[in-house]
Amino acid sequence: MSKLIINDKSYNSRLIVGTGKYKDLTETKQAILNSGAEMVTVAIRRMNIGQDKSLPNLLDYLDPKIFTILPNTAGCYNAKDAVRTCQLAAEILEGEKLVKLEVLGDDKTLYPNVTETLKAAEQLVKDDFKIMVYTTDDHIIAKELENIGCISIMPLASPIGSGLGIQNEYNLLTIKENSTVPIIVDAGVGTASDASKVMELGCDGVLMNTAIACAKDPLLMATAMKKAVESGYDAYHAGRIPKKFHASASSPKEGNVCD
Amino acid sequence: MRIILNKDVQIIPDSISIDGLLEHLNIEIKYIAIEVNQKIVPKSEYDTFNLKENDNVEIINAVGGG
């Protein structure tokens, strides 16, 4: 598998994973190790002030010197909050400006609000942030975000956390066809075959959280996802056979002992 | 004195710096960001930035998310 280049850094893994919804930090870390992911998303939140100082911080488990930490703007419903969250993330991460921008439209669907997303992206590019952006599967918007300066476009395949899989194959193909930055499908993956499918479409990577964290066995699912992304990537590059309506025998006709 | 800390009222010693507040709260200066009245205070200013009565302080960190 060739390396994925994001923000001038190369990655062996094309799987990016979230760190939410796990039982504890030990499980979080082990799942991430099993997945082979080198980039992980985190959320930015008010600290729980009453917490015991001896309790480990997420970033004590996922050392930013080892993993690329991708802070998200989850929970932001307008550009102003998203920009503020990115600024806080940069302060937390000692000036690192790689962010996952997501501006949501409503609670029920967690569908992106593209007008606010565009507004936030414009501001963040001016402030020198490197933006990987969660967006709809609309290739016109994807191109606009790319033109603003986003370094990766992350369209949804179906709603966040839904596990509905790839519901928009042709839209994803159109986005990929029209883009020059990495296309990383973010949201909707339910199981390993969904991750393979994303890669078989020629996308550059997959981002997922719930599909691993909420599986019956998250550690095993993390391993499955690693293999799925790799096999989907290889299958795309190997070139699948064309689909035919009728059968085509695999064994030779010559020398058939039944003749 | 009274401040608002992460949306809750908190009584802290008068004229305390951010460094002092973190010590008072037993919070390590590692992977955090602090806003006072909606403005981020850089870590380099924690020792000189003194809080005032009714300041709105937010201590932010990274948590699990997707």
Side-chain angles (χ1 to χ4, degrees):
Chain A
M1 197 161 66
S2 72
K3 291 180 189 258
L4 172 67
I5 312 286
I6 301 274
N7 197 25
D8 297 328
K9 191 171 168 189
S10 59
Y11 296 89
N12 292 312
S13 171
R14 290 174 176 269
L15 175 58
I16 302 172
V17 295
T19 55
K21 299 181 174 175
Y22 286 97
K23 187 177 69 186
D24 53 35
L25 291 174
T26 306
E27 186 183 71
T28 308
K29 184 167 186 183
Q30 193 54 53
I32 290 164
L33 290 174
N34 287 11
S35 77
E38 297 155 287
M39 185 184 290
V40 299
T41 62
V42 299
I44 303 301
R45 292 289 181 272
R46 288 191 185 97
M47 182 180 266
N48 179 2
I49 298 297
Q51 79 183 18
D52 181 352
K53 199 181 180 184
S54 64
L55 284 177
N57 181 299
L58 175 66
L59 297 181
D60 289 329
Y61 267 70
L62 301 169
D63 186 348
K65 290 185 192 76
I66 296 169
F67 296 96
T68 296
I69 307 296
L70 182 62
N72 68 29
T73 62
C76 293
Y77 286 80
N78 59 60
K80 187 173 165 242
D81 287 347
V83 170
R84 176 187 172 207
T85 302
C86 290
Q87 287 162 345
L88 288 166
E91 174 66 19
I92 291 168
L93 294 167
E94 315 294 343
E96 288 294 335
K97 286 197 153 181
L98 180 68
V99 291
K100 176 189 160 188
L101 173 63
E102 55 178 295
V103 187
L104 303 173
D106 69 36
D107 259 350
K108 188 176 174 184
T109 65
L110 299 178
Y111 212 66
N113 178 331
V114 291
T115 50
E116 291 295 309
T117 302
L118 289 162
K119 218 189 289 178
E122 274 172 6
Q123 183 58 50
L124 289 167
V125 165
K126 279 185 202 152
D127 296 342
D128 204 29
F129 279 91
K130 308 297 174 200
I131 309 163
M132 300 176 73
V133 59
Y134 168 64
T135 185
T136 59
D137 57 14
D138 177 340
H139 71 278
I140 305 293
I141 296 294
K143 196 68 196 176
E144 215 163 310
L145 287 162
E146 183 182 330
N147 290 340
I148 286 171
C150 293
I151 63 164
S152 173
I153 308 297
M154 304 205 290
L156 52 78
S158 54
I160 293 174
S162 69
L164 285 172
I166 319 305
Q167 296 296 324
N168 50 5
E169 188 175 326
Y170 295 101
N171 296 31
L172 294 177
L173 279 171
T174 311
I175 290 179
K176 179 61 192 165
E177 191 181 33
N178 286 287
S179 301
T180 57
V181 295
I183 302 302
I184 296 178
V185 169
D186 177 6
V189 167
T191 189
S193 53
D194 297 332
S196 284
K197 184 75 194 169
V198 165
M199 300 311 292
E200 286 173 14
L201 292 175
C203 293
D204 300 283
V206 195
L207 193 158
M208 66 182 74
N209 189 156
T210 308
I212 297 176
C214 296
K216 209 182 283 177
D217 184 341
L219 304 188
L220 186 57
M221 187 58 91
T223 306
M225 291 299 184
K226 177 182 196 282
K227 293 175 187 169
V229 169
E230 289 170 0
S231 62
Y233 177 90
D234 285 347
Y236 172 72
H237 287 276
R240 62 153 297 140
I241 59 162
K243 290 179 183 176
K244 292 185 285 283
F245 190 70
H246 294 295
S248 163
S250 300
S251 305
K253 280 186 178 170
E254 296 76 27
N256 187 346
V257 294
C258 301
D259 283 342
Chain B
M1 66 180 180
R2 173 190 181 275
I3 61 165
I4 307 294
L5 177 64
N6 286 8
K7 297 283 177 194
D8 289 325
V9 172
Q10 184 106 15
I11 306 299
I12 59 164
D14 288 351
S15 309
I16 198 172
S17 67
I18 289 181
D19 258 349
L21 175 70
L22 293 174
E23 207 182 316
H24 176 75
L25 296 170
N26 207 18
I27 292 171
E28 210 180 336
I29 307 177
K30 196 173 152 195
Y31 305 132
I32 59 169
I34 294 187
E35 268 187 355
V36 178
N37 303 327
Q38 296 263 312
K39 278 197 178 145
I40 294 174
V41 180
K43 291 188 180 72
S44 57
E45 294 175 20
Y46 284 5
D47 55 342
T48 54
F49 193 107
N50 288 328
L51 295 170
K52 301 186 303 295
E53 180 91 23
N54 294 323
D55 272 347
N56 184 6
V57 181
E58 302 258 30
I59 304 178
I60 315 288
N61 64 353
V63 300

